[in-house]
Amino acid sequence: MKEFELIKRFFTEQAIKRKDVLLGIGDDCAIVTPSERQNIAITTDTLVAGVHFPHQTSARAVGHKSIAVNLSDLAAMGAEPSWVSLAITMPEADLEWIEEFCAGVFDLCEFYNVQLIGGDTTQGPLSITVTAQGLTPVNKHITRSGAKAGDWIYVTGEIGDAALALKDIFNEVNVSPQYQKSIRKKLDYPRPRILVGQAIREYATSAIDLSDGLMSDLAHICSASKVGANIVLDDLPISDALRDTVGIDKAFDIALVGGDDYELLFTASEDNKVGMETALAHLSCGITRIGQLNGSGKITTTLDSKPVSINAKSFEHFSQNID
Ligand code: ADP
Ligand code: MG
C-alpha cells in the first residue's frame, strides 16, 4: 500500500471533529481558529524504537504512548489538549500493525477530545514524532520558573513502576506474577494527568511532568526557579509492586531516578496548601506531598528526618554512546 492510500485509510477518518478546526488532514497545512481569550501551548516529542520503548512493545501501546507523552507536557502547563499532528516513520506498511497503532492513538484522542490535524508518513526505522497543541485561558499557564523557597512539593499517582517494568523486561528484576500486569500497564499506557494540570492552575507555582525521573525533573524546576529542595523519602508514593520486588531502599532509588512515569510534579505555597489539597481531594490518581523547596540551591533527601544520599542516576540522552 502506498503513502497516500495509507494516509486515507488510517489517518483521515476519525471520530473527533472539533469546531475550531477549519481545515484538517488533506491540504498542505491544517488551519485552526482559536479564540482570543486563549493562549496556545505547543509541544513536540519523539519516540524512537529501542530508545523510548522496547522493540517488542505492542503497536497499540506505541500509538497510545506517542500521544500520551505529548499530552503529559500539555498537562504540566495546565493546558487543555486540542490538536495533534503525527509524523511516523516505519520500516514497512504492515497494515495490521498500523491499525493497532491507530487504535492506540485514537483511543486517547477521543478520550480527550483531541483532533489529529496532520502529519507525515515516511519509510525508515520505526520512529514517531507528535506535535500536540492545547489551550489555556490567557496567561494562566503554569511554568517551571515560578516556584519559591518554602513552597511544598507534590506528585500525582505512584512513581517508579514504569522503571520497574523496564527492568522486568530486561530481566534485571524478578516481578511476581500478581504485579506483572499493573506495572506493564504503567509503562505502556501512561495516563496523562490532564485534569490535574487544569485543576492546579489556580494554585501551583510551578509544574513539570516526570519523563526522565523525579530527581532530574525536579532539578529543572529548581534551576528555572533558582531554589533548592528536600525530598522526604518516607513520603514517596511507592507501589506495593515496587516495594515487594526490590525492597524499600532500592525502591527509593528507582522512584527517584526511574523515568517514564508521566506523573505531574508541582509546587504550591504554604498559603495555597489547604485550598489545593481540598480542591484535588476528589482526584482518582491522588496527590502526595513529598517535600519542600528551600534556598540551598541543592536537592537533598531525608529518611526518618536524617539526611541520606541516593545512588542511581537519571536517564539523559547523549550521556552514553549508543551504536
Ligand atoms: P505534503 O507532501 O504536502 O507534506 P503529505 O502528502 O505528506 O503532504 O500529506 C498529505 C496530507 O496528509 C497532509 O494534510 C498531511 O498533514 C496528512 N498526513 C500525512 N501523514 C499523516 C499522518 N501520519 N497522520 C495524519 N495526517 C497525515
Ligand atoms: Mg509531507
Side-chain angles (χ1 to χ4, degrees):
M1 189 175 278
K2 300 216 183 69
E3 179 189 343
F4 298 113
E5 288 171 78
L6 279 180
I7 296 169
K8 190 156 184 292
R9 166 148 171 207
F10 291 106
F11 299 110
T12 308
E13 288 304 313
Q14 55 184 306
I16 301 293
K17 291 190 172 54
R18 291 176 57 102
K19 285 208 194 79
D20 54 12
V21 177
L22 201 62
L23 205 53
I25 293 171
D27 216 309
D28 290 312
C29 290
I31 304 282
V32 294
T33 57
S35 99
E36 58 188 33
R37 297 186 311 274
Q38 290 169 315
N39 289 135
I40 303 178
I42 306 170
T43 182
T44 299
D45 255 328
T46 295
L47 265 61
V48 178
V51 179
H52 299 93
F53 56 88
H55 288 286
Q56 64 265 48
T57 307
S58 77
R60 187 182 276 257
V62 174
H64 175 100
K65 202 163 177 176
S66 61
I67 299 296
V69 301
N70 279 277
L71 298 194
S72 178
D73 283 319
L74 293 178
M77 304 296 288
E80 176 193 339
S82 49
W83 318 298
V84 288
S85 35
L86 167 72
I88 180 163
T89 304
M90 48 198 165
E92 57 188 336
D94 176 340
L95 302 189
E96 241 171 80
W97 190 94
I98 303 173
E99 192 159 345
E100 276 296 296
F101 171 86
C102 283
V105 165
F106 288 126
D107 267 359
L108 207 47
C109 287
E110 282 166 33
F111 190 83
Y112 289 111
N113 191 33
V114 170
Q115 186 168 341
L116 178 67
I117 56 170
D120 204 15
T121 306
T122 51
Q123 192 167 22
L126 182 61
S127 157
I128 298 108
T129 298
V130 169
T131 297
Q133 305 187 49
L135 304 166
T136 58
V138 167
N139 297 340
K140 290 283 190 196
H141 54 276
I142 315 164
T143 64
R144 297 176 178 185
S145 59
K148 300 260 185 317
D151 287 356
W152 297 101
I153 306 166
Y154 294 85
V155 71
T156 58
E158 290 174 327
I159 48 176
D161 282 1
L164 181 68
L166 258 187
K167 287 183 182 297
D168 189 35
I169 290 168
F170 293 118
N171 293 321
E172 291 169 24
V173 290
N174 203 347
V175 177
S176 120
Q178 62 167 319
Y179 297 133
Q180 295 262 351
K181 220 170 154 187
S182 70
I183 63 162
R184 194 58 202 260
K185 197 169 160 208
K186 288 290 278 286
L187 177 68
D188 284 346
Y189 294 95
R191 301 302 305 186
R193 301 299 187 193
I194 297 295
L195 295 180
V196 181
Q198 288 170 61
I200 62 176
R201 236 168 16 206
E202 289 297 317
Y203 305 100
T205 50
S206 72
I208 191 167
D209 70 316
L210 295 181
S211 51
D212 296 333
L214 192 150
M215 287 304 251
S216 160
D217 291 317
L218 175 60
H220 291 313
I221 285 190
C222 287
S223 81
S225 297
K226 302 192 175 57
V227 290
N230 183 63
I231 298 291
V232 180
L233 298 185
D234 319 62
D235 293 340
L236 287 178
I238 288 171
S239 71
D240 292 343
L242 182 55
R243 189 186 312 249
D244 291 355
T245 307
V246 298
I248 191 64
D249 288 341
K250 193 89 203 310
F252 289 145
D253 282 349
I254 293 176
L256 289 172
V257 303
D260 270 336
D261 286 315
Y262 299 102
E263 297 294 347
L264 289 189
L265 180 82
F266 55 97
T267 58
S269 69
E270 170 70 23
D271 287 351
N272 276 333
K273 183 168 144 233
V274 173
M276 192 190 70
E277 289 182 9
T278 310
L280 298 192
H282 67 284
L283 289 169
S284 59
C285 65
I287 60 163
T288 310
R289 186 149 35 98
I290 58 165
Q292 193 170 22
L293 300 179
N294 55 48
S296 73
K298 289 183 301 202
I299 300 180
T300 53
T301 50
T302 56
L303 180 63
D304 205 7
S305 304
K306 294 182 202 67
V308 284
S309 58
I310 60 146
N311 309 313
K313 202 173 173 301
S314 290
F315 181 78
E316 219 178 311
H317 287 274
F318 304 113
S319 61
Q320 57 202 22
N321 292 324
I322 49 174
D323 301 325

